[in-house]
Amino acid sequence: MKLIDALYKDAPLATRNEITPKLGFALTVLLALAWLIPFLWMGVATLRPASDGINLMAELMPSLKPTLDNIRDAWEIGDFPRYFLNTTIICTGILLVQFFTVTLAGFAFARLDFAGKSLIFYLFLMQLMLVPVLLIVPNLRIVAQFGLYDTLAGVMMPFFASAFGTFLMRQAFEAIPTELEDAALIDGASLIQRIRHIYVPLSIPSFSAFAIISVTSHWNDFLWPLMVINSPDKRPLTVGLSVFTATAEGTQAWGTIAAGTLMVIAPLLITFLIFQKRFISSFVTSGIK
Amino acid sequence: MSLAEPAALPVAAPAPPRLHIATRFAARFNASLPAYLLLLPSLIFLALFTYGAMGRVLIDALYQRATPKAPLRFVGLDNITAVLADPAFTGAVINNLIYAIGTAIPSIGLALLFALALARTNAVTSALRAALFLPVLIPMVAASALFLFIFLPNVGLLDYYIGRLLPVLPNWLGDPDIALYAIMIITVWKNAGYYMLFFLAGLQAVPEDVMEAAHLDGAGPFMRLRYIILPELKPTFLFVIVIATLNAVTQVDHVFVMTKGGPSNATNLVLFYIYQQAVEHYDIGKASAATLLTLAALMGLTALSFRTMANREGGA
């Protein structure tokens, strides 16, 4: 994790601020502001009263008579509490099973020697190679064969094993000194007890990095739940928002769309703003794999 | 005649106990058993949803789905040839290529600019980094909902602020010549902040003494960028290009929300085509054939990504 800590120090080449001429920096500032415009519009449009009319809808100056009507409307049209609940169930369910599977598999790769180790290791690597998103058609058929079509369990199941998580935990476990385990071994601790009381508690930062990546990606997932879920009351946030947007778009209710979007993205954005450093370091980790 | 010491007879080392091969195998298996048990939960799900799914695609691509009129039947490569002959598929492939190149280059270029400008850490650069990273976190569906309004003809944000300057107001999502480029803007907006992180990490590897020496030798900022920084960032570039290409094939949520592949297939991308074949036309054979072709095309690319990752591991 040295690399990640370094991210929060000045890059060596920037210490004299000369490699980024003022022009580049000014351009970046302008673009960063432009990057925020969709969010700014979302906030302003959410609070804009319907009396402002469609012609003022794009105005980025906030209305002087802000209203919560749009939020109320969005709340009434879309079943957002239900969508929240479904997404929370999906993300939590996936994460809990993943914690179990990646801990055990990560430990096996980190600390045990066994016949066929490299072959099985490549089998895990294959999951990263095969780009799971593209396997939606066969996976839908497999989920249906299990009788899990149109269930939240069906949405979760393909993600219960995670090659990325396994490799992340393997790295974390390899960094733990074997002396600790030896001491526990002398005390007569079983394999599972050693994992549970030595490896897991000492790898909390890796678990939390993995949790951030797992929850963010499944919170935002759309295509797969769209295919598995049929009943309106089982929709996750993303699918619910797309149906809601399609409905409101027809009635030109852009303030309501803005309010609905705000409600969907607020939880992750607030969590990010609180744990910014953790999020960013987790995302760097996820890229390194 | 001398009583030479009798030469020591070579004594054969005691042969290792020759175990029956099955016994040896059993011993090895028993020693490995704990590991297998730990791997079992993961392997069950991988077997189902990765290897099983892959096998399923291979088989499904060779069969014609049963209809009320005809039973399931083996058709060999017919599905593959049908997909290759389908102008909607070839159109989607071409769209996806344009989309991949047209989103990768600007988002990677911007990511590099952002990383270079924000390498120095202080309150201002931290806030700017956060601003650029926010789109990475929100669902593509939510981004699409916002951009639907931005691209709305006449009253939308783009026309309200910039369109007024143009002689003719374009119909951003309704014009087949423009729609693909419009949805590309969302992708660049969403991904540039993500790739910025990897460049920020890559910049850590640039050795300070070399930079300093170049500075003393009178190399200007552009010389240093060209001859020191960019070569150092080569692994990062490779890695980010792979990620950007994968994203171009796997991120299609905005197509669902904004254009449904239209107008006249102008924004149809490969994954959306697969979805259409499977869910809208119930043609599993064709969907599987298209999946197979796409997977094959991406295999080489992901192989490259592993080499890139392996290279990075030394630095990380």
Side-chain angles (χ1 to χ4, degrees):
Chain A
M1 300 284 120
K2 245 169 106 184
L3 172 97
I4 285 146
D5 293 334
L7 257 187
Y8 298 96
K9 297 190 193 91
D10 290 358
L13 57 109
T15 47
R16 292 178 305 269
N17 208 21
E18 58 195 352
I19 209 64
T20 55
K22 299 236 165 3
L23 195 64
F25 188 75
L27 186 58
T28 302
V29 173
L30 278 179
L31 286 168
L33 293 176
W35 248 238
L36 289 177
I37 287 176
F39 294 102
L40 178 65
W41 176 77
M42 176 181 70
V44 171
T46 297
L47 299 175
R48 185 174 297 284
S51 59
D52 272 10
I54 187 80
N55 288 326
L56 276 182
M57 204 66 233
E59 187 55 58
L60 288 172
M61 281 298 290
S63 166
L64 293 175
K65 288 169 286 180
T67 171
L68 295 177
D69 287 357
N70 290 319
I71 295 182
R72 197 200 57 215
D73 289 351
W75 190 262
E76 280 169 4
I77 300 170
D79 196 354
F80 285 101
R82 166 79 66 179
Y83 304 153
F84 267 117
L85 182 67
N86 290 337
T87 295
T88 310
I89 293 172
I90 290 170
C91 291
T92 321
I94 291 175
L95 188 64
L96 289 179
V97 180
Q98 279 178 337
F99 273 158
F100 176 74
T101 57
V102 304
T103 303
L104 300 187
F107 180 82
F109 282 125
R111 282 291 138 90
L112 300 180
D113 184 35
F114 52 92
K117 189 171 177 174
S118 54
L119 174 76
I120 297 176
F121 192 76
Y122 280 112
L123 282 179
F124 273 73
L125 269 183
M126 231 167 91
Q127 195 208 15
L128 299 179
M129 291 260 292
L130 280 176
V131 197
V133 191
L134 283 177
L135 292 171
I136 42 173
V137 175
N139 279 344
L140 185 64
R141 284 159 66 69
I142 292 163
V143 162
Q145 274 180 345
F146 279 102
L148 293 175
Y149 177 73
D150 199 25
T151 64
L152 296 184
V155 177
M156 295 185 234
M157 217 176 159
F159 305 102
F160 280 165
S162 163
F164 161 63
T166 302
F167 298 148
L168 193 68
M169 294 329 294
R170 167 178 157 262
Q171 266 186 321
F173 293 157
E174 275 175 349
I176 292 168
T178 40
E179 287 82 359
L180 288 170
E181 194 183 356
D182 294 341
L185 205 54
I186 292 166
D187 291 343
S190 72
L191 186 73
I192 295 299
Q193 280 174 330
R194 269 144 35 210
I195 295 176
R196 166 78 186 78
H197 295 290
I198 296 173
Y199 286 91
V200 171
L202 288 174
S203 307
I204 298 295
S206 293
F207 278 112
S208 82
F210 177 61
I212 286 174
I213 293 300
S214 170
V215 170
T216 311
S217 66
H218 297 301
W219 189 279
N220 292 344
D221 208 3
F222 171 72
L223 185 52
W224 174 247
L226 176 74
M227 292 181 78
V228 177
I229 294 302
N230 191 30
S231 319
D233 64 334
K234 287 175 190 155
R235 286 176 188 149
L237 273 174
T238 46
V239 179
L241 178 65
S242 76
V243 174
F244 171 83
T245 305
T247 317
E249 196 192 342
T251 59
Q252 298 266 313
W254 294 101
T256 323
I257 292 180
T261 313
L262 178 65
M263 290 195 293
V264 168
I265 66 183
L268 264 188
L269 285 196
I270 293 169
T271 320
F272 168 69
L273 292 174
I274 298 171
F275 301 104
Q276 215 192 105
K277 202 171 150 173
R278 279 231 87 91
F279 263 79
I280 290 194
S281 65
S282 307
F283 271 81
V284 176
T285 314
S286 83
I288 290 165
K289 291 190 180 165
Chain B
M1 90 189 299
S2 74
L3 297 170
E5 294 263 336
L9 287 170
V11 179
R18 292 293 287 257
L19 293 178
H20 190 268
I21 187 157
T23 323
R24 271 190 293 163
F25 183 79
R28 187 95 168 95
F29 181 83
N30 283 338
S32 304
L33 197 59
Y36 294 154
L37 289 176
L38 294 180
L39 290 167
L40 193 64
S42 292
L43 283 173
I44 288 173
F45 293 110
L46 290 180
L48 277 174
F49 294 103
T50 302
Y51 328 128
M54 189 63 204
R56 180 115 226 179
V57 171
L58 278 169
I59 295 167
D60 284 349
L62 300 175
Y63 281 88
Q64 175 86 57
R65 188 180 183 276
T67 60
K69 285 179 188 164
L72 179 87
R73 66 193 174 89
F74 182 80
V75 294
L77 297 179
D78 281 8
N79 284 320
I80 305 241
T81 45
V83 165
L84 288 173
D86 184 352
F89 179 74
T90 44
V93 170
I94 293 168
N95 284 342
N96 224 142
L97 284 174
I98 298 173
Y99 176 82
I101 296 167
T103 54
I105 293 175
S107 49
I108 293 173
L110 286 171
L112 179 65
L113 169 77
F114 296 159
L116 286 170
L118 304 179
R120 210 179 149 95
T121 294
N122 56 43
V124 176
T125 55
S126 296
L128 292 173
R129 284 181 197 180
L132 293 164
F133 187 71
L134 279 184
V136 179
L137 290 169
I138 73 170
M140 193 58 133
V141 176
S144 307
L146 298 177
F147 275 82
L148 263 179
F149 180 76
I150 291 180
F151 289 130
L152 192 67
N154 300 313
V155 288
L157 204 68
L158 209 52
D159 282 357
Y160 187 81
Y161 282 101
I162 299 171
R164 290 166 171 174
L165 307 172
L166 301 173
V168 189
L169 285 181
N171 185 354
W172 301 101
L173 295 173
D175 185 336
D177 293 332
I178 304 179
L180 185 62
Y181 300 94
I183 65 166
M184 278 157 63
I185 292 176
I186 307 174
T187 312
V188 173
W189 177 76
K190 202 162 179 324
N191 291 342
Y194 182 43
Y195 307 149
M196 168 187 76
L197 294 185
F198 301 112
F199 282 113
L200 279 170
L203 285 177
Q204 305 301 324
V206 179
E208 184 157 20
D209 45 350
V210 178
M211 286 296 290
E212 215 136 308
H215 184 63
L216 290 176
D217 288 345
F222 285 105
M223 295 276 279
R224 292 194 296 272
L225 182 66
R226 168 77 185 77
Y227 293 103
I228 303 173
I229 298 175
L230 291 185
E232 281 287 344
L233 288 178
K234 207 177 143 195
T236 315
F237 268 108
L238 277 172
F239 176 77
V240 172
I241 288 169
V242 169
I243 300 274
T245 316
L246 285 178
N247 279 342
V249 183
T250 55
Q251 288 183 335
V252 294
D253 303 356
H254 50 336
V255 175
F256 283 80
V257 176
M258 303 181 79
T259 62
K260 301 266 178 220
S264 50
N265 275 336
T267 59
N268 198 353
L269 301 179
V270 170
L271 186 50
F272 189 74
Y273 174 88
I274 292 172
Y275 168 86
Q276 278 182 319
Q277 293 305 323
V279 177
E280 289 171 14
H281 306 311
Y282 300 106
D283 194 338
I284 300 294
K286 236 171 138 183
S288 303
T291 306
L292 206 59
L293 289 170
T294 316
L295 276 172
L298 284 178
M299 276 298 194
L301 184 85
T302 28
L304 173 73
S305 98
F306 281 120
R307 280 175 49 190
T308 320
M309 281 184 225
N311 287 346
R312 287 180 60 92
E313 239 160 69

mmCIF file of all heavy atoms in Angstrom, chain A residues 33-47:
data_model
loop_
_atom_site.group_PDB
_atom_site.id
_atom_site.type_symbol
_atom_site.label_atom_id
_atom_site.label_comp_id
_atom_site.label_asym_id
_atom_site.label_seq_id
_atom_site.Cartn_x
_atom_site.Cartn_y
_atom_site.Cartn_z
ATOM 1 N N LEU A 33 -14.590 22.334 -13.174
ATOM 2 C CA LEU A 33 -15.862 23.041 -12.967
ATOM 3 C C LEU A 33 -16.909 22.542 -13.955
ATOM 4 O O LEU A 33 -18.066 22.302 -13.588
ATOM 5 C CB LEU A 33 -15.663 24.560 -13.111
ATOM 6 C CG LEU A 33 -14.794 25.196 -12.015
ATOM 7 C CD1 LEU A 33 -14.585 26.681 -12.292
ATOM 8 C CD2 LEU A 33 -15.433 24.994 -10.642
ATOM 9 N N ALA A 34 -16.489 22.349 -15.215
ATOM 10 C CA ALA A 34 -17.425 21.821 -16.212
ATOM 11 C C ALA A 34 -17.914 20.428 -15.815
ATOM 12 O O ALA A 34 -19.072 20.080 -16.024
ATOM 13 C CB ALA A 34 -16.754 21.767 -17.586
ATOM 14 N N TRP A 35 -17.001 19.644 -15.211
ATOM 15 C CA TRP A 35 -17.360 18.276 -14.783
ATOM 16 C C TRP A 35 -18.508 18.300 -13.754
ATOM 17 O O TRP A 35 -19.263 17.351 -13.622
ATOM 18 C CB TRP A 35 -16.128 17.606 -14.183
ATOM 19 C CG TRP A 35 -15.582 16.467 -14.999
ATOM 20 C CD1 TRP A 35 -15.418 15.186 -14.553
ATOM 21 C CD2 TRP A 35 -15.123 16.466 -16.350
ATOM 22 N NE1 TRP A 35 -14.899 14.407 -15.570
ATOM 23 C CE2 TRP A 35 -14.703 15.162 -16.667
ATOM 24 C CE3 TRP A 35 -15.043 17.448 -17.341
ATOM 25 C CZ2 TRP A 35 -14.210 14.797 -17.935
ATOM 26 C CZ3 TRP A 35 -14.553 17.106 -18.596
ATOM 27 C CH2 TRP A 35 -14.143 15.810 -18.877
ATOM 28 N N LEU A 36 -18.573 19.408 -13.006
ATOM 29 C CA LEU A 36 -19.581 19.490 -11.946
ATOM 30 C C LEU A 36 -20.931 19.989 -12.455
ATOM 31 O O LEU A 36 -21.928 19.919 -11.730
ATOM 32 C CB LEU A 36 -19.081 20.419 -10.828
ATOM 33 C CG LEU A 36 -17.944 19.873 -9.965
ATOM 34 C CD1 LEU A 36 -17.492 20.919 -8.957
ATOM 35 C CD2 LEU A 36 -18.393 18.611 -9.236
ATOM 36 N N ILE A 37 -20.966 20.492 -13.699
ATOM 37 C CA ILE A 37 -22.208 21.113 -14.177
ATOM 38 C C ILE A 37 -23.417 20.171 -14.109
ATOM 39 O O ILE A 37 -24.476 20.579 -13.624
ATOM 40 C CB ILE A 37 -22.005 21.703 -15.593
ATOM 41 C CG1 ILE A 37 -21.146 22.961 -15.486
ATOM 42 C CG2 ILE A 37 -23.342 22.032 -16.245
ATOM 43 C CD1 ILE A 37 -20.787 23.581 -16.818
ATOM 44 N N PRO A 38 -23.289 18.912 -14.564
ATOM 45 C CA PRO A 38 -24.468 18.032 -14.444
ATOM 46 C C PRO A 38 -24.965 17.911 -13.003
ATOM 47 O O PRO A 38 -26.173 17.890 -12.771
ATOM 48 C CB PRO A 38 -23.957 16.694 -14.974
ATOM 49 C CG PRO A 38 -22.858 17.048 -15.908
ATOM 50 C CD PRO A 38 -22.192 18.245 -15.288
ATOM 51 N N PHE A 39 -24.033 17.855 -12.041
ATOM 52 C CA PHE A 39 -24.452 17.759 -10.639
ATOM 53 C C PHE A 39 -25.119 19.056 -10.200
ATOM 54 O O PHE A 39 -26.123 19.055 -9.485
ATOM 55 C CB PHE A 39 -23.243 17.479 -9.736
ATOM 56 C CG PHE A 39 -22.628 16.128 -9.968
ATOM 57 C CD1 PHE A 39 -21.458 16.005 -10.702
ATOM 58 C CD2 PHE A 39 -23.227 14.983 -9.476
ATOM 59 C CE1 PHE A 39 -20.892 14.753 -10.918
ATOM 60 C CE2 PHE A 39 -22.667 13.735 -9.691
ATOM 61 C CZ PHE A 39 -21.490 13.618 -10.423
ATOM 62 N N LEU A 40 -24.512 20.175 -10.637
ATOM 63 C CA LEU A 40 -25.070 21.479 -10.282
ATOM 64 C C LEU A 40 -26.491 21.602 -10.827
ATOM 65 O O LEU A 40 -27.426 21.989 -10.117
ATOM 66 C CB LEU A 40 -24.171 22.583 -10.853
ATOM 67 C CG LEU A 40 -24.636 24.016 -10.611
ATOM 68 C CD1 LEU A 40 -24.609 24.336 -9.127
ATOM 69 C CD2 LEU A 40 -23.757 25.005 -11.381
ATOM 70 N N TRP A 41 -26.663 21.229 -12.103
ATOM 71 C CA TRP A 41 -28.000 21.306 -12.698
ATOM 72 C C TRP A 41 -28.988 20.436 -11.918
ATOM 73 O O TRP A 41 -30.113 20.845 -11.644
ATOM 74 C CB TRP A 41 -27.969 20.864 -14.172
ATOM 75 C CG TRP A 41 -29.357 20.854 -14.725
ATOM 76 C CD1 TRP A 41 -30.090 21.934 -15.112
ATOM 77 C CD2 TRP A 41 -30.219 19.717 -14.879
ATOM 78 N NE1 TRP A 41 -31.352 21.546 -15.506
ATOM 79 C CE2 TRP A 41 -31.449 20.186 -15.369
ATOM 80 C CE3 TRP A 41 -30.065 18.351 -14.638
ATOM 81 C CZ2 TRP A 41 -32.526 19.329 -15.639
ATOM 82 C CZ3 TRP A 41 -31.127 17.501 -14.899
ATOM 83 C CH2 TRP A 41 -32.336 18.000 -15.404
ATOM 84 N N MET A 42 -28.524 19.249 -11.539
ATOM 85 C CA MET A 42 -29.391 18.330 -10.805
ATOM 86 C C MET A 42 -29.905 18.991 -9.515
ATOM 87 O O MET A 42 -31.104 18.942 -9.213
ATOM 88 C CB MET A 42 -28.611 17.050 -10.488
ATOM 89 C CG MET A 42 -29.347 16.031 -9.658
ATOM 90 S SD MET A 42 -28.285 14.603 -9.346
ATOM 91 C CE MET A 42 -27.072 15.330 -8.230
ATOM 92 N N GLY A 43 -28.996 19.639 -8.791
ATOM 93 C CA GLY A 43 -29.389 20.282 -7.546
ATOM 94 C C GLY A 43 -30.329 21.443 -7.787
ATOM 95 O O GLY A 43 -31.365 21.581 -7.119
ATOM 96 N N VAL A 44 -29.992 22.286 -8.761
ATOM 97 C CA VAL A 44 -30.806 23.474 -9.034
ATOM 98 C C VAL A 44 -32.185 23.072 -9.549
ATOM 99 O O VAL A 44 -33.216 23.600 -9.108
ATOM 100 C CB VAL A 44 -30.083 24.393 -10.055
ATOM 101 C CG1 VAL A 44 -30.991 25.510 -10.510
ATOM 102 C CG2 VAL A 44 -28.810 24.953 -9.448
ATOM 103 N N ALA A 45 -32.213 22.101 -10.479
ATOM 104 C CA ALA A 45 -33.485 21.700 -11.082
ATOM 105 C C ALA A 45 -34.383 21.003 -10.065
ATOM 106 O O ALA A 45 -35.615 21.121 -10.126
ATOM 107 C CB ALA A 45 -33.239 20.779 -12.280
ATOM 108 N N THR A 46 -33.763 20.300 -9.117
ATOM 109 C CA THR A 46 -34.559 19.623 -8.086
ATOM 110 C C THR A 46 -35.375 20.632 -7.288
ATOM 111 O O THR A 46 -36.519 20.394 -6.940
ATOM 112 C CB THR A 46 -33.631 18.830 -7.144
ATOM 113 O OG1 THR A 46 -32.961 17.819 -7.898
ATOM 114 C CG2 THR A 46 -34.405 18.179 -6.019
ATOM 115 N N LEU A 47 -34.761 21.786 -7.024
ATOM 116 C CA LEU A 47 -35.413 22.777 -6.163
ATOM 117 C C LEU A 47 -36.226 23.815 -6.950
ATOM 118 O O LEU A 47 -36.801 24.730 -6.366
ATOM 119 C CB LEU A 47 -34.356 23.500 -5.321
ATOM 120 C CG LEU A 47 -33.537 22.602 -4.386
ATOM 121 C CD1 LEU A 47 -32.445 23.388 -3.694
ATOM 122 C CD2 LEU A 47 -34.454 21.930 -3.359
#
